[in-house]
């Protein structure tokens, strides 16, 4: 008689998204409603996942991830942390809408204090579509979350057989199944229910960061201002910049800010906001010494983070310091 070791226990927190979305027709992959299905529907669609792990499902939310708020994100992080603290839990899968999966994953990557695998996944096509990608993504996510090999790598995002670090991954296309990409490539891949890793992120994450969920009661108010040709100060005025604790400016090229909106943003900075220079280009770095040289003092540059993740990092930075040099150090560290 062969004795098999017990399967790892993986908890699946479902939050909605297209992976739980349904349309009236199998050929309709855009006119659907996200978050209509339940976590049990996913278990029923992928019974093979139970060969990889003992699964427990929890319906945390049923929403389109474009409606996610910072309060919900914080509550999600607290729930994942609670699960990870249990000796009975070996890993967590979060099913999530793809629109904001990268922000949620990055937040978890920086605040969770555990080496246990946490994997986010979603889908580009609704569950009712021909060749729906959700079931295979879910199977891959369970494979990664249940593998001891995945521990200590930070929060991971599994999409389309690729295993990405939450630090790097971005949704690059509105509809393509292969939408998720990382600028330095994925960490690994899933083949036949087995993760294979080829590299690791070198920037600190999870237990190695200075951020702690226990010290965060709420996230500061924040917004992103997108640069465009012809931008003028009425845009910054519409943002009512003085109301924000964090303003990320998704600027031109190397974080360049049009001279017409420097003053309103500088006024916000003087009023106490953290003003962050990012780039709208979709890739690349923003250096301290940007093209707008006069902005170097007191303005934060993002290194290689995109504007949406820079917003998350700036909010977390404010949970530990309001000193601008320290905030810049945080951007250069994570
Ligand atoms: N593909 C998706 O999941 C998109 C959906 N709107 C969501 O983010 O919830």
């Amino acid at each position: 008689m062969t004795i098999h070791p017990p399967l790892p226990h993986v908890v699946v927190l479902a939050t909605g998204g297209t992976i739980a979305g349904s349309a009236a027709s199998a050929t309709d992959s855009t006119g659907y409603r996200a978050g209509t299905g339940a976590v049990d529907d996913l278990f029923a669609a992928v019974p093979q996942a139970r060969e990889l792990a003992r699964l427990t499902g929890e319906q945390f939310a049923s929403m389109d991830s474009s409606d996610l708020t910072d309060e919900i994100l914080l509550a999600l992080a607290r729930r994942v942390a609670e699960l990870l603290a249990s000796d009975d839990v070996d890993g967590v899968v979060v099913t999530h809408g793809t629109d904001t999966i990268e922000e949620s994953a990055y937040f978890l990557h920086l605040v969770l204090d555990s080496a246990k695998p946490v994997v986010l996944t979603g889908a580009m096509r609704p569950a009712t579509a021909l060749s729906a990608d959700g079931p295979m993504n879910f199977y891959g996510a369970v494979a990664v979350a249940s593998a001891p090999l995945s521990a200590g790598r930070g929060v991971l995002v599994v999409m389309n057989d690729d295993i990405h670090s939450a630090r790097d991954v971005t949704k690059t296309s509105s509809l393509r199944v292969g939408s998720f990409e990382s600028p330095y490539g994925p960490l690994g891949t899933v083949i036949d229910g087995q993760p294979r890793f080829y590299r690791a992120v070198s920037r600190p994450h999870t237990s190695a960061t200075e951020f702690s969920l226990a010290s965060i009661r709420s996230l500061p108010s924040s917004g992103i201002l997108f640069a465009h040709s012809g931008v003028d100060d009425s845009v910054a005025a519409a943002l009512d910049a003085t109301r924000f604790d964090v303003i990320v400016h998704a600027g031109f090229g190397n974080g360049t800010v049009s001279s017409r909106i420097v003053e309103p943003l500088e006024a916000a900075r003087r009023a106490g906001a953290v003003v962050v220079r990012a780039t709208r280009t979709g890739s690349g770095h923003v250096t301290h010494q940007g093209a707008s040289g006069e902005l170097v003092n007191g303005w934060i540059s993002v290194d290689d983070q995109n504007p949406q993740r820079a917003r998350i990092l700036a909010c977390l930075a404010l949970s530990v310091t309001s000193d601008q040099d320290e905030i810049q150090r945080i951007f250069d560290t994570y």
Side-chain angles (χ1 to χ4, degrees), residues 16-19 32 34 63-66 96-100 123-125 171:
T18 299
I19 193 167
Y32 63 89
M63 64 191 305
D64 191 303
S65 78
S66 58
H96 198 292
T98 59
D99 287 339
T100 60
M124 294 299 293
R125 294 179 180 146
K171 182 173 181 175

Side-chain angles (χ1 to χ4, degrees), residues 10-325:
V10 171
V11 179
V12 180
L13 278 186
T15 69
T18 299
I19 193 167
S22 55
S25 140
T27 53
D28 191 350
S29 57
T30 58
Y32 63 89
R33 279 196 49 217
T36 55
V39 65
D40 288 338
D41 300 332
L42 204 49
F43 288 173
V46 195
Q48 300 83 351
R50 292 201 187 275
E51 293 162 18
L52 301 171
R54 177 163 63 89
L55 295 178
T56 306
E58 203 174 298
Q59 195 70 45
F60 179 84
S62 296
M63 64 191 305
D64 191 303
S65 78
S66 58
D67 290 329
L68 193 87
T69 63
D70 287 347
E71 290 73 28
I72 299 172
L73 176 57
L74 203 46
L76 176 68
R78 291 198 205 288
R79 183 61 191 135
V80 176
E82 231 167 61
L83 290 167
L84 295 174
S86 161
D87 289 341
D88 178 47
V89 174
D90 298 299
V92 173
V93 168
V94 178
T95 61
H96 198 292
T98 59
D99 287 339
T100 60
I101 195 171
E102 64 196 85
E103 284 125 294
S104 296
Y106 190 48
F107 185 74
L108 296 174
H109 184 72
L110 294 174
V111 299
L112 292 176
D113 185 10
S114 171
K116 291 180 187 175
V118 174
V119 182
L120 281 79
T121 193
M124 294 299 293
R125 294 179 180 146
T128 47
L130 286 176
S131 295
D133 54 331
M136 193 61 172
N137 287 344
F138 177 64
Y139 184 69
V142 173
V144 174
S146 58
L149 200 61
S150 309
R153 295 179 186 272
V155 170
L156 302 168
V157 174
V158 171
M159 293 291 291
N160 203 31
D161 295 340
D162 286 328
I163 309 170
H164 296 272
S165 168
R167 183 188 184 276
D168 296 338
V169 69
T170 303
K171 182 173 181 175
T172 64
S173 157
S174 55
L175 294 175
R176 243 181 342 107
V177 166
S179 171
F180 282 81
E181 292 179 26
S182 296
Y184 316 108
L187 302 185
T189 185
V190 190
I191 301 178
D192 293 340
Q194 299 282 337
R196 297 183 190 202
F197 287 97
Y198 298 93
R199 59 181 204 89
V201 277
S202 61
R203 300 294 183 103
H205 54 74
T206 53
S207 306
T209 74
E210 59 212 274
F211 312 118
S212 143
L213 272 178
S215 64
I216 303 173
R217 288 191 45 219
S218 62
L219 293 183
S221 58
S222 58
I224 300 177
L225 183 63
F226 197 91
H228 57 87
S229 78
V231 69
D232 64 32
D233 58 2
S234 62
V235 172
L239 183 77
D240 190 4
T242 52
R243 276 188 41 234
F244 289 89
D245 299 316
V246 169
I247 300 171
V248 177
H249 178 260
F252 307 103
N254 184 15
T256 305
V257 184
S258 160
S259 58
R260 290 189 293 274
I261 62 164
V262 165
E263 184 40 40
L265 287 176
E266 184 57 14
R269 194 185 70 78
R270 283 194 304 267
V274 176
V275 179
V276 181
R277 286 170 48 242
T279 177
R280 67 172 204 169
T281 57
S283 68
H285 294 69
V286 173
T287 60
H288 296 193
Q289 193 69 36
S292 321
E294 77 278 15
L295 303 182
V296 171
N297 288 334
W299 290 51
I300 308 298
S301 53
V302 289
D303 186 25
D304 66 344
Q305 281 303 346
N306 66 22
Q308 56 270 32
R309 269 199 307 268
R311 183 190 78 86
I312 296 286
L313 185 54
C315 290
L316 281 175
L318 275 179
S319 74
V320 292
T321 182
S322 52
D323 181 88
Q324 284 171 339
D325 291 342

